[in-house]
Every structure is written in C-alpha cells, then in structure tokens.
Short mmCIF file of all heavy atoms in Angstrom, two decimals:
data_model
loop_
_atom_site.label_atom_id
_atom_site.label_comp_id
_atom_site.label_asym_id
_atom_site.label_seq_id
_atom_site.Cartn_x
_atom_site.Cartn_y
_atom_site.Cartn_z
N MET X 1 -70.37 57.39 3.94
CA MET X 1 -70.01 56.26 3.10
C MET X 1 -68.81 56.65 2.26
O MET X 1 -68.73 57.75 1.75
CB MET X 1 -71.19 55.87 2.22
CG MET X 1 -70.86 54.81 1.19
SD MET X 1 -72.33 54.16 0.42
CE MET X 1 -71.89 52.46 0.38
N ALA X 2 -67.93 55.72 2.08
CA ALA X 2 -66.75 55.97 1.28
C ALA X 2 -67.08 55.78 -0.19
O ALA X 2 -67.76 54.84 -0.57
CB ALA X 2 -65.62 55.04 1.69
N GLY X 3 -66.63 56.69 -0.98
CA GLY X 3 -66.87 56.63 -2.42
C GLY X 3 -65.72 55.95 -3.13
O GLY X 3 -65.00 55.15 -2.53
N PRO X 4 -65.53 56.28 -4.39
CA PRO X 4 -64.43 55.70 -5.14
C PRO X 4 -63.08 55.95 -4.45
O PRO X 4 -62.85 57.01 -3.89
CB PRO X 4 -64.50 56.44 -6.49
CG PRO X 4 -65.90 56.95 -6.58
CD PRO X 4 -66.32 57.20 -5.16
N ALA X 5 -62.24 54.97 -4.49
CA ALA X 5 -60.90 55.04 -3.90
C ALA X 5 -60.94 55.33 -2.40
O ALA X 5 -60.01 55.88 -1.84
CB ALA X 5 -60.03 56.08 -4.62
N GLY X 6 -62.06 54.99 -1.73
CA GLY X 6 -62.17 55.15 -0.29
C GLY X 6 -62.34 56.57 0.17
O GLY X 6 -62.25 56.86 1.35
N LYS X 7 -62.57 57.52 -0.75
CA LYS X 7 -62.74 58.92 -0.39
C LYS X 7 -64.07 59.11 0.34
O LYS X 7 -65.11 58.67 -0.13
CB LYS X 7 -62.70 59.79 -1.64
CG LYS X 7 -62.81 61.26 -1.35
CD LYS X 7 -62.79 62.09 -2.62
CE LYS X 7 -63.01 63.53 -2.26
NZ LYS X 7 -63.42 64.32 -3.40
N ASN X 8 -64.02 59.80 1.47
CA ASN X 8 -65.24 60.07 2.23
C ASN X 8 -66.04 61.14 1.52
O ASN X 8 -65.57 62.25 1.30
CB ASN X 8 -64.88 60.53 3.65
CG ASN X 8 -66.10 60.76 4.52
OD1 ASN X 8 -67.22 60.84 4.04
ND2 ASN X 8 -65.88 60.84 5.81
N GLU X 9 -67.28 60.81 1.15
CA GLU X 9 -68.12 61.76 0.43
C GLU X 9 -68.96 62.60 1.38
O GLU X 9 -69.61 63.54 0.95
CB GLU X 9 -69.06 61.01 -0.52
CG GLU X 9 -68.33 60.29 -1.62
CD GLU X 9 -69.26 59.57 -2.54
OE1 GLU X 9 -70.25 60.16 -2.99
OE2 GLU X 9 -68.98 58.39 -2.82
N GLY X 10 -68.97 62.26 2.66
CA GLY X 10 -69.74 63.04 3.62
C GLY X 10 -71.24 62.81 3.48
O GLY X 10 -71.69 61.89 2.83
N GLU X 11 -71.99 63.68 4.11
CA GLU X 11 -73.44 63.59 4.06
C GLU X 11 -73.92 63.85 2.64
O GLU X 11 -73.42 64.72 1.94
CB GLU X 11 -74.05 64.61 5.02
CG GLU X 11 -75.50 64.38 5.31
CD GLU X 11 -76.02 65.25 6.44
OE1 GLU X 11 -75.19 65.73 7.24
OE2 GLU X 11 -77.22 65.43 6.52
N GLY X 12 -74.89 63.09 2.18
CA GLY X 12 -75.39 63.26 0.83
C GLY X 12 -74.54 62.53 -0.19
O GLY X 12 -74.39 62.95 -1.32
N SER X 13 -73.98 61.41 0.21
CA SER X 13 -73.09 60.62 -0.63
C SER X 13 -73.74 60.24 -1.97
O SER X 13 -74.77 59.59 -2.01
CB SER X 13 -72.70 59.34 0.13
OG SER X 13 -72.14 58.40 -0.73
N ARG X 14 -73.12 60.64 -3.06
CA ARG X 14 -73.63 60.30 -4.40
C ARG X 14 -73.52 58.81 -4.66
O ARG X 14 -74.39 58.22 -5.31
CB ARG X 14 -72.88 61.07 -5.47
CG ARG X 14 -73.17 62.55 -5.44
CD ARG X 14 -72.47 63.26 -6.59
NE ARG X 14 -72.52 64.69 -6.35
CZ ARG X 14 -71.53 65.51 -6.54
NH1 ARG X 14 -70.37 65.06 -6.98
NH2 ARG X 14 -71.65 66.80 -6.30
N THR X 15 -72.45 58.20 -4.16
CA THR X 15 -72.26 56.77 -4.36
C THR X 15 -73.37 55.99 -3.67
O THR X 15 -73.96 55.07 -4.26
CB THR X 15 -70.89 56.32 -3.81
OG1 THR X 15 -69.87 57.09 -4.46
CG2 THR X 15 -70.64 54.85 -4.06
N ALA X 16 -73.69 56.35 -2.45
CA ALA X 16 -74.76 55.67 -1.72
C ALA X 16 -76.11 55.93 -2.38
O ALA X 16 -76.95 55.02 -2.46
CB ALA X 16 -74.79 56.14 -0.27
N ALA X 17 -76.34 57.14 -2.85
CA ALA X 17 -77.60 57.46 -3.52
C ALA X 17 -77.77 56.64 -4.79
O ALA X 17 -78.85 56.11 -5.06
CB ALA X 17 -77.67 58.95 -3.84
N ARG X 18 -76.69 56.50 -5.57
CA ARG X 18 -76.77 55.69 -6.79
C ARG X 18 -77.05 54.24 -6.46
O ARG X 18 -77.88 53.59 -7.12
CB ARG X 18 -75.48 55.80 -7.59
CG ARG X 18 -75.41 57.02 -8.48
CD ARG X 18 -74.26 56.93 -9.49
NE ARG X 18 -72.95 56.84 -8.84
CZ ARG X 18 -72.23 57.90 -8.47
NH1 ARG X 18 -72.69 59.11 -8.68
NH2 ARG X 18 -71.07 57.74 -7.91
N ALA X 19 -76.39 53.71 -5.43
CA ALA X 19 -76.60 52.32 -5.04
C ALA X 19 -78.04 52.10 -4.57
O ALA X 19 -78.68 51.11 -4.94
CB ALA X 19 -75.61 51.91 -3.95
N TYR X 20 -78.55 53.02 -3.76
CA TYR X 20 -79.93 52.93 -3.27
C TYR X 20 -80.90 52.98 -4.44
O TYR X 20 -81.83 52.16 -4.54
CB TYR X 20 -80.23 54.06 -2.29
CG TYR X 20 -81.68 54.12 -1.90
CD1 TYR X 20 -82.18 53.27 -0.92
CD2 TYR X 20 -82.56 54.99 -2.54
CE1 TYR X 20 -83.52 53.31 -0.57
CE2 TYR X 20 -83.90 55.03 -2.21
CZ TYR X 20 -84.37 54.18 -1.21
OH TYR X 20 -85.71 54.21 -0.89
N ASN X 21 -80.70 53.92 -5.35
CA ASN X 21 -81.60 54.05 -6.50
C ASN X 21 -81.57 52.81 -7.38
O ASN X 21 -82.61 52.34 -7.85
CB ASN X 21 -81.25 55.29 -7.32
CG ASN X 21 -81.59 56.57 -6.59
OD1 ASN X 21 -82.39 56.59 -5.67
ND2 ASN X 21 -80.95 57.65 -6.99
N LYS X 22 -80.40 52.23 -7.60
CA LYS X 22 -80.27 51.02 -8.41
C LYS X 22 -80.99 49.87 -7.72
O LYS X 22 -81.75 49.13 -8.37
CB LYS X 22 -78.81 50.66 -8.64
CG LYS X 22 -78.64 49.40 -9.47
CD LYS X 22 -77.20 48.91 -9.47
CE LYS X 22 -77.05 47.61 -10.24
NZ LYS X 22 -77.85 46.51 -9.74
N ASP X 23 -80.75 49.69 -6.43
CA ASP X 23 -81.39 48.60 -5.70
C ASP X 23 -82.91 48.76 -5.68
O ASP X 23 -83.65 47.78 -5.80
CB ASP X 23 -80.86 48.51 -4.27
CG ASP X 23 -79.41 48.05 -4.21
OD1 ASP X 23 -78.90 47.52 -5.22
OD2 ASP X 23 -78.79 48.21 -3.14
N THR X 24 -83.39 49.98 -5.55
CA THR X 24 -84.84 50.24 -5.56
C THR X 24 -85.42 49.90 -6.93
O THR X 24 -86.46 49.23 -7.03
CB THR X 24 -85.13 51.69 -5.19
OG1 THR X 24 -84.60 51.95 -3.89
CG2 THR X 24 -86.62 51.98 -5.19
N ARG X 25 -84.75 50.34 -7.99
CA ARG X 25 -85.21 50.03 -9.35
C ARG X 25 -85.24 48.52 -9.58
O ARG X 25 -86.19 47.98 -10.14
CB ARG X 25 -84.29 50.68 -10.39
CG ARG X 25 -84.84 51.91 -11.04
CD ARG X 25 -84.00 52.37 -12.23
NE ARG X 25 -82.56 52.27 -12.09
CZ ARG X 25 -81.79 53.17 -11.50
NH1 ARG X 25 -82.31 54.25 -10.98
NH2 ARG X 25 -80.49 52.98 -11.41
N ASP X 26 -84.17 47.85 -9.15
CA ASP X 26 -84.09 46.39 -9.32
C ASP X 26 -85.24 45.70 -8.60
O ASP X 26 -85.82 44.75 -9.13
CB ASP X 26 -82.75 45.86 -8.81
CG ASP X 26 -81.57 46.26 -9.68
OD1 ASP X 26 -81.79 46.77 -10.81
OD2 ASP X 26 -80.43 46.07 -9.22
N PHE X 27 -85.56 46.15 -7.39
CA PHE X 27 -86.67 45.55 -6.64
C PHE X 27 -87.99 45.77 -7.35
O PHE X 27 -88.78 44.84 -7.52
CB PHE X 27 -86.73 46.11 -5.22
CG PHE X 27 -87.90 45.58 -4.43
CD1 PHE X 27 -87.94 44.27 -4.02
CD2 PHE X 27 -88.95 46.41 -4.12
CE1 PHE X 27 -89.02 43.78 -3.31
CE2 PHE X 27 -90.05 45.94 -3.41
CZ PHE X 27 -90.08 44.62 -3.01
N VAL X 28 -88.25 46.98 -7.81
CA VAL X 28 -89.50 47.28 -8.53
C VAL X 28 -89.57 46.43 -9.79
O VAL X 28 -90.62 45.83 -10.09
CB VAL X 28 -89.61 48.78 -8.85
CG1 VAL X 28 -90.77 49.06 -9.79
CG2 VAL X 28 -89.76 49.58 -7.56
N ASP X 29 -88.48 46.35 -10.52
CA ASP X 29 -88.45 45.57 -11.76
C ASP X 29 -88.60 44.07 -11.52
O ASP X 29 -88.99 43.33 -12.43
CB ASP X 29 -87.15 45.83 -12.53
CG ASP X 29 -87.07 47.25 -13.09
OD1 ASP X 29 -88.12 47.94 -13.14
OD2 ASP X 29 -85.95 47.68 -13.45
N SER X 30 -88.31 43.61 -10.30
CA SER X 30 -88.41 42.18 -10.00
C SER X 30 -89.85 41.68 -9.97
O SER X 30 -90.10 40.48 -10.04
CB SER X 30 -87.75 41.87 -8.64
OG SER X 30 -88.60 42.28 -7.57
N GLY X 31 -90.81 42.61 -9.84
CA GLY X 31 -92.21 42.22 -9.82
C GLY X 31 -92.68 41.72 -8.46
O GLY X 31 -93.76 41.14 -8.37
N LYS X 32 -91.91 41.93 -7.42
CA LYS X 32 -92.25 41.40 -6.10
C LYS X 32 -92.89 42.43 -5.17
O LYS X 32 -93.14 42.14 -4.01
CB LYS X 32 -91.00 40.85 -5.42
CG LYS X 32 -90.40 39.66 -6.13
CD LYS X 32 -89.18 39.15 -5.40
CE LYS X 32 -88.55 37.99 -6.14
NZ LYS X 32 -87.35 37.50 -5.47
N VAL X 33 -93.18 43.63 -5.67
CA VAL X 33 -93.69 44.70 -4.81
C VAL X 33 -95.02 44.31 -4.19
O VAL X 33 -95.21 44.42 -2.98
CB VAL X 33 -93.81 46.03 -5.58
CG1 VAL X 33 -94.46 47.10 -4.73
CG2 VAL X 33 -92.43 46.50 -6.03
N ASP X 34 -95.97 43.85 -5.00
CA ASP X 34 -97.29 43.48 -4.47
C ASP X 34 -97.18 42.35 -3.46
O ASP X 34 -97.83 42.39 -2.41
CB ASP X 34 -98.24 43.08 -5.60
CG ASP X 34 -98.69 44.27 -6.43
OD1 ASP X 34 -98.67 45.41 -5.91
OD2 ASP X 34 -99.08 44.06 -7.59
N GLN X 35 -96.37 41.35 -3.76
CA GLN X 35 -96.18 40.21 -2.85
C GLN X 35 -95.63 40.68 -1.50
O GLN X 35 -96.13 40.30 -0.44
CB GLN X 35 -95.23 39.20 -3.48
CG GLN X 35 -94.80 38.09 -2.54
CD GLN X 35 -93.63 37.28 -3.11
OE1 GLN X 35 -93.32 37.33 -4.29
NE2 GLN X 35 -92.97 36.54 -2.23
N LYS X 36 -94.61 41.52 -1.54
CA LYS X 36 -93.99 42.00 -0.30
C LYS X 36 -94.93 42.92 0.48
O LYS X 36 -94.93 42.91 1.72
CB LYS X 36 -92.66 42.71 -0.60
CG LYS X 36 -91.60 41.78 -1.12
CD LYS X 36 -91.25 40.71 -0.11
CE LYS X 36 -90.16 39.79 -0.58
NZ LYS X 36 -89.82 38.76 0.41
N ALA X 37 -95.74 43.71 -0.23
CA ALA X 37 -96.72 44.57 0.44
C ALA X 37 -97.75 43.72 1.18
O ALA X 37 -98.13 44.03 2.32
CB ALA X 37 -97.40 45.48 -0.56
N LYS X 38 -98.20 42.64 0.55
CA LYS X 38 -99.16 41.73 1.19
C LYS X 38 -98.53 41.05 2.41
O LYS X 38 -99.18 40.90 3.44
CB LYS X 38 -99.66 40.69 0.19
CG LYS X 38 -100.59 41.27 -0.85
CD LYS X 38 -100.99 40.26 -1.89
CE LYS X 38 -101.82 40.92 -2.98
NZ LYS X 38 -102.11 40.01 -4.08
N GLU X 39 -97.27 40.64 2.29
CA GLU X 39 -96.56 40.03 3.42
C GLU X 39 -96.44 41.01 4.58
O GLU X 39 -96.61 40.64 5.74
CB GLU X 39 -95.18 39.55 2.99
CG GLU X 39 -95.20 38.35 2.08
CD GLU X 39 -93.82 37.98 1.55
OE1 GLU X 39 -92.80 38.48 2.09
OE2 GLU X 39 -93.75 37.20 0.59
N ALA X 40 -96.14 42.26 4.26
CA ALA X 40 -96.00 43.28 5.31
C ALA X 40 -97.33 43.53 6.00
O ALA X 40 -97.39 43.62 7.23
CB ALA X 40 -95.46 44.58 4.71
N ALA X 41 -98.40 43.63 5.23
CA ALA X 41 -99.73 43.84 5.81
C ALA X 41 -100.12 42.67 6.71
O ALA X 41 -100.67 42.86 7.80
CB ALA X 41 -100.76 44.03 4.71
N LYS X 42 -99.80 41.47 6.27
CA LYS X 42 -100.11 40.27 7.06
C LYS X 42 -99.32 40.28 8.37
O LYS X 42 -99.84 39.92 9.43
CB LYS X 42 -99.77 39.02 6.24
CG LYS X 42 -100.24 37.73 6.83
CD LYS X 42 -99.98 36.58 5.87
CE LYS X 42 -100.46 35.26 6.44
NZ LYS X 42 -100.22 34.15 5.53
N ALA X 43 -98.06 40.71 8.31
CA ALA X 43 -97.23 40.77 9.51
C ALA X 43 -97.77 41.80 10.50
O ALA X 43 -97.84 41.54 11.71
CB ALA X 43 -95.78 41.11 9.14
N VAL X 44 -98.19 42.96 10.00
CA VAL X 44 -98.72 44.01 10.87
C VAL X 44 -100.03 43.56 11.52
O VAL X 44 -100.27 43.83 12.70
CB VAL X 44 -98.91 45.33 10.09
CG1 VAL X 44 -99.69 46.34 10.90
CG2 VAL X 44 -97.56 45.91 9.70
N ASP X 45 -100.85 42.86 10.76
CA ASP X 45 -102.14 42.40 11.27
C ASP X 45 -102.03 41.11 12.08
O ASP X 45 -102.96 40.74 12.78
CB ASP X 45 -103.12 42.17 10.12
CG ASP X 45 -103.50 43.45 9.41
OD1 ASP X 45 -103.37 44.53 10.02
OD2 ASP X 45 -103.91 43.38 8.23
N GLY X 46 -100.90 40.44 12.02
CA GLY X 46 -100.72 39.15 12.67
C GLY X 46 -99.97 39.23 13.98
O GLY X 46 -99.96 40.25 14.67
N ALA X 47 -99.31 38.13 14.29
CA ALA X 47 -98.60 37.97 15.56
C ALA X 47 -97.48 38.98 15.74
O ALA X 47 -97.16 39.37 16.87
CB ALA X 47 -98.04 36.55 15.67
N GLU X 48 -96.87 39.42 14.66
CA GLU X 48 -95.76 40.38 14.74
C GLU X 48 -96.24 41.82 14.93
O GLU X 48 -95.44 42.71 15.21
CB GLU X 48 -94.93 40.36 13.46
CG GLU X 48 -94.15 39.10 13.21
CD GLU X 48 -93.43 39.19 11.89
OE1 GLU X 48 -92.31 39.76 11.87
OE2 GLU X 48 -93.97 38.72 10.88
N GLY X 49 -97.52 42.05 14.78
CA GLY X 49 -98.06 43.40 14.77
C GLY X 49 -97.67 44.26 15.95
O GLY X 49 -97.25 45.40 15.79
N LYS X 50 -97.79 43.70 17.14
CA LYS X 50 -97.49 44.49 18.34
C LYS X 50 -96.02 44.92 18.35
O LYS X 50 -95.71 46.08 18.61
CB LYS X 50 -97.82 43.69 19.59
CG LYS X 50 -97.63 44.46 20.87
CD LYS X 50 -98.03 43.64 22.09
CE LYS X 50 -97.82 44.43 23.36
NZ LYS X 50 -98.19 43.68 24.56
N ALA X 51 -95.13 43.99 18.05
CA ALA X 51 -93.70 44.30 18.05
C ALA X 51 -93.35 45.32 16.95
O ALA X 51 -92.53 46.22 17.16
CB ALA X 51 -92.87 43.03 17.86
N LEU X 52 -93.98 45.18 15.80
CA LEU X 52 -93.73 46.12 14.70
C LEU X 52 -94.20 47.52 15.05
O LEU X 52 -93.52 48.51 14.76
CB LEU X 52 -94.40 45.63 13.42
CG LEU X 52 -93.82 44.36 12.80
CD1 LEU X 52 -94.73 43.85 11.68
CD2 LEU X 52 -92.42 44.60 12.30
N LYS X 53 -95.35 47.62 15.68
CA LYS X 53 -95.88 48.93 16.08
C LYS X 53 -95.02 49.56 17.17
O LYS X 53 -94.80 50.78 17.18
CB LYS X 53 -97.33 48.81 16.50
CG LYS X 53 -98.23 48.55 15.31
CD LYS X 53 -99.66 48.27 15.69
CE LYS X 53 -100.45 47.94 14.43
NZ LYS X 53 -101.68 47.26 14.66
N GLN X 54 -94.49 48.73 18.08
CA GLN X 54 -93.58 49.25 19.11
C GLN X 54 -92.29 49.75 18.48
O GLN X 54 -91.77 50.80 18.86
CB GLN X 54 -93.28 48.17 20.15
CG GLN X 54 -94.43 47.88 21.08
CD GLN X 54 -94.13 46.72 22.02
OE1 GLN X 54 -93.29 45.86 21.74
NE2 GLN X 54 -94.84 46.68 23.14
N ALA X 55 -91.78 49.02 17.50
CA ALA X 55 -90.55 49.43 16.82
C ALA X 55 -90.78 50.74 16.06
O ALA X 55 -89.92 51.62 16.05
CB ALA X 55 -90.08 48.33 15.86
N GLU X 56 -91.94 50.87 15.44
CA GLU X 56 -92.26 52.11 14.73
C GLU X 56 -92.31 53.28 15.70
O GLU X 56 -91.75 54.35 15.44
CB GLU X 56 -93.60 51.97 14.02
CG GLU X 56 -94.02 53.23 13.29
CD GLU X 56 -95.40 53.13 12.65
OE1 GLU X 56 -96.22 52.31 13.10
OE2 GLU X 56 -95.65 53.90 11.71
N ALA X 57 -92.97 53.08 16.84
CA ALA X 57 -93.07 54.15 17.84
C ALA X 57 -91.68 54.53 18.37
O ALA X 57 -91.38 55.71 18.56
CB ALA X 57 -93.98 53.72 18.98
N GLU X 58 -90.84 53.53 18.58
CA GLU X 58 -89.47 53.79 19.05
C GLU X 58 -88.70 54.62 18.02
O GLU X 58 -88.03 55.59 18.36
CB GLU X 58 -88.75 52.47 19.30
CG GLU X 58 -87.29 52.61 19.68
CD GLU X 58 -87.04 53.24 21.04
OE1 GLU X 58 -87.95 53.25 21.88
OE2 GLU X 58 -85.90 53.71 21.26
N GLY X 59 -88.81 54.25 16.77
CA GLY X 59 -88.13 54.99 15.71
C GLY X 59 -88.63 56.43 15.62
O GLY X 59 -87.84 57.35 15.49
N LYS X 60 -89.94 56.60 15.71
CA LYS X 60 -90.51 57.94 15.63
C LYS X 60 -90.13 58.80 16.82
O LYS X 60 -90.05 60.03 16.70
CB LYS X 60 -92.03 57.87 15.52
CG LYS X 60 -92.50 57.43 14.16
CD LYS X 60 -94.02 57.41 14.08
CE LYS X 60 -94.49 57.08 12.70
NZ LYS X 60 -95.96 57.09 12.60
N SER X 61 -89.85 58.17 17.96
CA SER X 61 -89.50 58.94 19.15
C SER X 61 -88.12 59.61 19.01
O SER X 61 -87.83 60.54 19.75
CB SER X 61 -89.52 58.05 20.40
OG SER X 61 -88.39 57.18 20.42
N HIS X 62 -87.32 59.16 18.07
CA HIS X 62 -85.98 59.71 17.87
C HIS X 62 -85.92 60.77 16.78
O HIS X 62 -84.87 61.36 16.57
CB HIS X 62 -85.00 58.59 17.51
CG HIS X 62 -84.84 57.57 18.59
ND1 HIS X 62 -84.13 57.81 19.74
CD2 HIS X 62 -85.33 56.32 18.71
CE1 HIS X 62 -84.18 56.73 20.51
NE2 HIS X 62 -84.90 55.82 19.91
N ARG X 63 -87.01 61.01 16.11
CA ARG X 63 -86.98 61.98 15.01
C ARG X 63 -86.90 63.41 15.54
O ARG X 63 -87.32 63.71 16.65
CB ARG X 63 -88.19 61.82 14.11
CG ARG X 63 -89.48 62.24 14.75
CD ARG X 63 -90.65 62.05 13.81
NE ARG X 63 -91.85 62.43 14.52
CZ ARG X 63 -93.05 62.01 14.23
NH1 ARG X 63 -93.21 61.18 13.23
NH2 ARG X 63 -94.09 62.40 14.91
N LYS X 64 -86.38 64.25 14.70
CA LYS X 64 -86.29 65.66 15.06
C LYS X 64 -87.63 66.31 14.81
O LYS X 64 -88.30 66.01 13.82
CB LYS X 64 -85.21 66.35 14.24
CG LYS X 64 -83.82 65.87 14.58
CD LYS X 64 -82.77 66.59 13.78
CE LYS X 64 -81.40 66.07 14.16
NZ LYS X 64 -80.35 66.72 13.38
N GLN X 65 -87.99 67.22 15.66
CA GLN X 65 -89.28 67.91 15.50
C GLN X 65 -89.15 69.12 14.64
O GLN X 65 -88.28 69.85 14.59
CB GLN X 65 -89.84 68.32 16.87
CG GLN X 65 -90.16 67.12 17.73
CD GLN X 65 -91.36 66.32 17.22
OE1 GLN X 65 -92.30 66.86 16.68
NE2 GLN X 65 -91.30 65.03 17.42
#
C-alpha cells in the first residue's frame, strides 16, 4: 500500500494498519457488532451456508503450513 506522498511502505504498512485499526474501532463504536454477528450466524445456518463453508475451505487450502 502506498503511504503519504505515494511512497511504497512495503509489507507491514503503517498507513494501512492505522486505517484498519480506525475502521475496526469505528465499527465497534457503531454498536452493530451483535447485529452483524447474528446476521452472519443466520447466513451460515441458512441457504448461504454451503457456499460460505466452501469459500472457507478454499481460503484455508491456500494457507501456509
């Protein structure tokens, strides 16, 4: 990710970490965590469940051991 003035920060970008942390804090502060957790559980248990589990398995198949 490019940092200030377009400078490449490489792996471990501080700019990206700050943005991620801010967005995470904003989401937690929004009070929507419980609502979104319930929606996610409903999706996993519902019609989307099979596709979500397949996507999870696909993602895990690419991880380093």
Side-chain angles (χ1 to χ4, degrees):
M1 173 169 222
K7 182 181 176 198
N8 183 345
E9 295 180 48
E11 194 170 340
S13 165
R14 291 184 193 137
T15 303
R18 277 193 299 273
Y20 172 81
N21 291 339
K22 179 191 177 301
D23 291 345
T24 301
R25 257 190 321 276
D26 290 348
F27 176 70
V28 170
D29 292 344
S30 77
K32 296 181 182 179
V33 174
D34 288 336
Q35 171 192 344
K36 293 298 182 179
K38 288 176 185 174
E39 289 174 14
K42 190 174 180 180
V44 170
D45 294 337
E48 292 178 85
K50 184 177 180 180
L52 292 170
K53 288 174 184 162
Q54 287 175 337
E56 179 184 23
E58 175 69 19
K60 286 182 175 181
S61 74
H62 297 286
R63 70 180 178 204
K64 293 181 180 179
Q65 296 290 326

